[in-house]
Amino acid sequence: MADAIATLPTQQLDPFKGVKKVPLEEYFTSGHRTCQGCESALVMKLMVKAAGPRTIVLGSTGCMYVANTTYYSTSWVVPWMHTQLGSSGSAGLGTAAALRVLMRKGKMKEEPINVIAFCGDGGGADMGLSAISAALTHTEYNFLILLYDNESYANTDIQLSGSTPWGAHTTFSPPGKAKRILHKRWKKNVAGMLAAGHPECRYVATVCASYAVEMMNRVRKALTIGGSTFVHSLDPCPKGWDYDPMLSHELGELAVNCGIWPLYEVEDHQLKLYGRTKGIAEKRSKRLPVRDYLLRQGRFAHFTDDDIDYFQSKVDAMWEKWVIPGVIPFASDILQDKAPA
Ligand SMILES: Cc1ncc(C[n+]2csc(CCOP(=O)(O)OP(=O)(O)O)c2C)c(N)n1
Ligand code: SF4
Ligand SMILES: [Mg+2]
């Protein structure tokens, strides 16, 4: 029975060997209404540029739905469909399964078609996590789930999500005189959780669009390897993070270079750090202090030196105490840290 539903062939998308090899064609074009400097819009553009024209994109509710499809207009050049908040996993799996049936019945030409279902952190790290988890166990279908993580429920005015960093000012966690820090939970480790929890899944990666070619090549690899795959992108958001829009690119670089956002891929159960993260791990580059990253953003403007030190200690623990730095936090002593009151 397993053979009867063997995975269909995928498109073979070789990595772009440098920025000059990236095609000029756009499949996510002008006319959208995202904020100036929105990194998630760049992620959409690069994601579908990497995938190419024979691609179907599905998107759950959030900024990348609302701002990109307004009153019968859209920036998407490829077929695109909205899906409910929390259902990118089921939409990706269902679309891949439907394509297979249509091809088997001869109602469509048989050809590899990329299916990408994207979601925000609210839709993916919180509400839709169970659907993504279920979808990642269906490795006989080819689809990629891309989580664009702007660290809040941005579209509904920056509410706190499971991806929001410790201490950040959101509309659900405003700093006040009685309590300076309202949000005291650490950001979920979604890519590590999904890689560790879905042993059949052949590809999970973290990316950041500040490293655009590397990011596109991870999307291409996920689509080429096939089965159900997952990519998690950290996306600076000028509105939610409260900074000058021209700093988006720099903030993405800083998140990686401060060690807050490690870049890695788990390919056929082999973990590889890549890019600047690999350089830091191999001690070829210095890990920058988190202060450089935090103080550029209004959402951390209320932080005292103690708060910054606490944040730094958590990131240090991630690098020095986790069983696999930045990926698997199974060391027992990291639970004994002391957060500032
Ligand atoms: C089931 C459901 N609950 C609530 C909403 C309202 N809603 C629309 S977009 C959104 C925020 C989604 O956040 P995220 O997935 O992080 O995407 P972002 O807006 O940050 O791009 C919410 C709560 C909805 N559309 N559907
Ligand atoms: S709120 Fe953030 S994610 Fe949403 S459109 Fe604006 S910059 Fe982009
Ligand atoms: Mg979000």
Side-chain angles (χ1 to χ4, degrees):
M1 189 62 195
D3 284 343
I5 50 167
T7 311
L8 288 172
T10 58
Q11 289 182 40
Q12 297 304 294
L13 303 167
D14 293 333
F16 295 135
K17 295 212 166 68
V19 72
K20 290 187 182 153
K21 302 288 180 196
V22 175
L24 293 177
E25 286 78 17
E26 301 289 359
Y27 307 107
F28 174 85
T29 60
S30 55
H32 57 77
R33 290 149 65 108
T34 66
C35 308
Q36 188 183 26
C38 173
E39 194 82 343
S40 296
L42 181 65
V43 167
M44 296 295 114
K45 177 180 154 109
L46 298 178
M47 169 190 90
V48 73
K49 191 188 260 292
R54 302 305 288 160
T55 299
I56 295 172
V57 181
L58 316 152
S60 77
T61 324
C63 284
M64 290 306 107
Y65 159 50
V66 175
N68 294 328
T69 48
T70 310
Y71 294 118
Y72 300 113
S73 71
T74 182
S75 303
W76 293 104
V77 176
V78 295
W80 184 87
M81 187 189 82
H82 169 234
T83 183
Q84 203 187 10
L85 189 55
S87 51
S88 61
S90 23
L93 174 60
T95 303
L99 285 174
R100 177 194 293 236
V101 170
L102 289 171
M103 288 178 199
R104 195 186 68 221
K105 292 187 171 174
K107 296 191 173 180
M108 269 181 81
K109 190 178 102 193
E110 206 159 299
E111 64 165 321
I113 293 179
N114 300 317
V115 175
I116 305 178
F118 68 74
C119 51
D121 46 306
D126 290 346
M127 297 170 70
L129 191 57
S130 58
I132 294 175
S133 172
L136 290 184
T137 64
H138 284 274
T139 51
E140 69 275 28
Y141 296 107
N142 297 326
F143 60 95
L144 164 66
I145 296 170
L146 186 142
L147 194 161
Y148 70 93
D149 186 355
N150 51 26
E151 301 192 319
S152 79
Y153 290 76
N155 180 58
T156 37
D157 208 16
I158 322 296
Q159 288 87 28
L160 189 155
S161 82
S163 246
T164 302
W166 182 88
H169 179 172
T170 67
T171 47
F172 279 2
S173 56
K177 284 202 178 117
K179 282 195 189 292
R180 188 183 65 261
I181 302 289
L182 270 187
H183 174 42
K184 297 198 169 185
R185 287 172 282 140
W186 199 250
K187 182 181 170 79
K188 278 188 197 175
N189 175 22
V190 177
M193 170 190 351
L194 292 177
H198 301 82
E200 298 282 285
C201 170
R202 290 185 57 201
Y203 193 75
V204 170
T206 59
V207 299
C208 178
S210 295
Y211 301 98
V213 176
E214 291 180 324
M215 180 247 161
M216 284 190 279
N217 284 342
R218 265 70 210 177
V219 169
R220 286 170 78 78
K221 196 186 278 190
L223 295 168
T224 301
I225 287 177
S228 47
T229 53
F230 179 79
V231 169
H232 190 167
S233 172
L234 182 74
D235 302 358
C237 160
K239 183 181 170 199
W241 300 15
D242 189 13
Y243 63 82
D244 186 320
M246 71 179 217
L247 292 178
S248 291
H249 182 86
E250 187 180 333
L251 279 170
E253 287 182 335
L254 274 173
V256 173
N257 289 314
C258 295
I260 291 171
W261 187 248
L263 298 174
Y264 64 89
E265 54 190 352
V266 184
E267 181 181 346
D268 280 330
H269 322 294
Q270 292 293 314
L271 172 81
K272 291 181 220 157
L273 304 179
Y274 72 89
R276 299 304 294 261
T277 302
K278 188 162 185 272
I280 294 171
E282 291 171 352
K283 307 243 183 291
R284 283 183 285 108
S285 332
K286 205 170 163 311
R287 181 157 55 88
L288 298 179
V290 297
R291 176 179 284 271
D292 296 352
Y293 175 73
L294 300 177
L295 294 186
R296 278 176 172 73
Q297 303 172 54
R299 64 180 173 158
F300 301 116
H302 55 292
F303 270 25
T304 62
D305 282 345
D306 279 353
D307 298 330
I308 294 174
D309 289 348
Y310 173 69
F311 207 108
Q312 183 69 61
S313 73
K314 292 286 283 184
V315 175
D316 290 348
M318 205 165 102
W319 279 83
E320 291 157 15
K321 297 186 180 169
W322 286 22
V323 168
I324 302 179
V327 188
I328 303 290
F330 290 155
S332 59
D333 55 345
I334 64 164
L335 299 175
Q336 292 163 11
D337 60 351
K338 291 266 182 296

